[in-house]
Amino acid sequence: MDKPIPAEADFTGLAGHRFPGGYYTVAHWENALLTECTGATLLPGGRVHPVALFHLPITGAGTTIAEMFALGQAESDLSIMIESYDWETFLPLREEIRYSVCGGIESAQRCTNPAGQFYDRIQFRFEVRTPEDALAARTTITWHYTRNTL
Amino acid sequence: MSVAVGDRIPEWVMDSVCPARMRTMAALLRDPNPLHWDRDAVAALPLGLGRRTINQGPLGLSYMINMLHAWAGPDCLRRINMRFPQVVLDGERVVARGEITALWDDNGETLAECSIWLQHEERGVLLEGTATVVLPKGGA
């Protein structure tokens, strides 16, 4: 049975939602596993592979992928489609550094695809800062919450 | 490094996208989506993908970063923006490719804007986007 589509006002009202914020430290073991998953070798000097810019901001901001799915009232885990990932880096990430992270929902919109089907679009934005409060990275995740298409 | 607009970035090849790596990644990311570790869940979708798991978006994106690192060094990345027109499936051979579209100097650094994409021989472009990269000294 199809899950009801959230009311448009409820959905667009997600804009401005803030996650609790917090901290994240990439341990050496985690960087080693992440890097191996990419097919690369460890970067020199304790640099963290930038692939960490997906989960580091999410976890550090005090949320989870599952919560981000739930906020948009995803029909299921399978109904989420990626529009884009936009990662800006201002300083190389390093292992064992305690980064502070803040983030939230930048925009939430109801859209229609060329086939006339509704979908909802959320843009999440996160900022990652060093212990000295220098901006190290900014990431934007844009997902589509498809409705009744699977 | 001597480069010009229109130059191609040396390609980076992932010979076979590995389902075990997707499972490790799912655990590290705390990603509950079964598309990355359950072939039956993928087969049940009305998408005709067969019994193959779908690579995480960040992993496909990481192949583009590996290409850029191999070309311009581990601190080169300033920005990457990727779109995901097609999924990447386990067992596929994919090639990260790119081309310089603009060059400029900023505060003593040479920056390159690049068009980048992840290509499969039969299915075409799977990921596409742009990257801004700082080039090693002596570039352009």
Side-chain angles (χ1 to χ4, degrees):
Chain A
M1 186 172 151
D2 290 338
K3 198 168 173 178
I5 297 174
E8 183 169 356
D10 292 342
F11 188 83
T12 57
L14 291 169
H17 175 86
R18 301 296 296 171
F19 298 119
Y23 299 90
Y24 198 93
T25 303
V26 180
H28 173 71
W29 67 264
E30 184 178 9
N31 188 33
L33 289 177
L34 279 171
T35 305
E36 198 280 331
C37 285
T38 75
T41 55
L42 268 176
L43 297 172
R47 291 171 178 81
V48 172
H49 194 290
V51 74
L53 284 172
F54 183 68
H55 80 297
L56 185 162
I58 292 171
T59 311
T63 186
T64 62
I65 295 171
E67 184 190 36
M68 292 161 70
F69 288 178
L71 272 170
Q73 298 186 50
E75 287 181 353
S76 72
D77 295 345
L78 311 178
S79 67
I80 303 290
M81 302 293 164
I82 307 168
E83 177 181 302
S84 65
Y85 293 148
D86 186 9
W87 298 350
E88 298 170 87
T89 60
F90 307 102
L91 295 168
L93 298 175
R94 305 270 179 183
E95 295 174 355
E96 311 298 347
I97 299 289
R98 189 174 185 246
Y99 292 99
S100 63
V101 186
C102 62
I105 294 180
E106 193 73 8
S107 67
Q109 302 164 301
R110 176 140 297 167
C111 306
T112 308
N113 68 18
Q117 295 164 318
F118 285 119
Y119 67 94
D120 290 323
R121 176 182 186 270
I122 297 185
Q123 196 160 65
F124 302 91
R125 187 160 296 155
F126 300 92
E127 287 192 350
V128 178
R129 292 182 176 274
T130 68
E132 295 76 30
D133 202 34
L135 182 61
R138 182 187 298 122
T139 67
T140 306
I141 293 171
T142 308
W143 283 341
H144 293 179
Y145 294 68
T146 62
R147 308 294 184 192
N148 301 333
T149 57
L150 294 176
Chain B
M1 179 184 278
S2 180
V3 296
V5 171
D7 283 358
R8 295 291 287 262
I9 301 169
E11 64 187 32
W12 189 92
V13 179
M14 171 54 75
D15 275 320
S16 181
V17 174
C18 174
R21 286 174 168 162
M22 292 184 212
R23 289 194 289 275
T24 301
M25 200 67 179
L28 290 168
L29 303 185
R30 296 288 188 270
D31 185 347
N33 197 330
L35 298 181
H36 305 308
W37 45 266
D38 183 349
R39 286 175 164 153
D40 291 335
V42 179
L45 294 174
L47 301 174
L49 299 175
R51 291 190 73 257
R52 292 189 291 179
T53 50
I54 296 175
N55 210 24
Q56 283 93 346
L59 273 185
L61 193 160
S62 76
Y63 306 156
M64 316 307 300
I65 293 172
N66 291 346
M67 170 184 70
L68 298 169
H69 280 171
W71 174 54
D75 293 333
C76 71
L77 187 67
R78 291 294 179 271
R79 186 169 193 167
I80 188 165
N81 186 307
M82 294 303 303
R83 298 176 299 280
F84 300 79
Q86 295 196 70
V87 296
V88 178
L89 298 168
D90 81 57
E92 289 192 320
R93 181 181 189 274
V94 292
V95 183
R97 295 193 165 112
E99 181 179 312
I100 299 173
T101 57
L103 288 165
W104 71 97
D105 290 324
D106 183 34
N107 282 330
E109 293 183 322
T110 301
L111 294 160
E113 181 78 7
C114 307
S115 172
I116 56 175
W117 62 96
L118 188 69
Q119 192 149 5
H120 181 272
E121 191 173 354
E122 286 87 36
R123 295 200 293 121
V125 173
L126 309 183
L127 276 62
E128 60 188 4
T130 58
T132 307
V133 170
V134 62
L135 299 178
K137 294 289 183 191

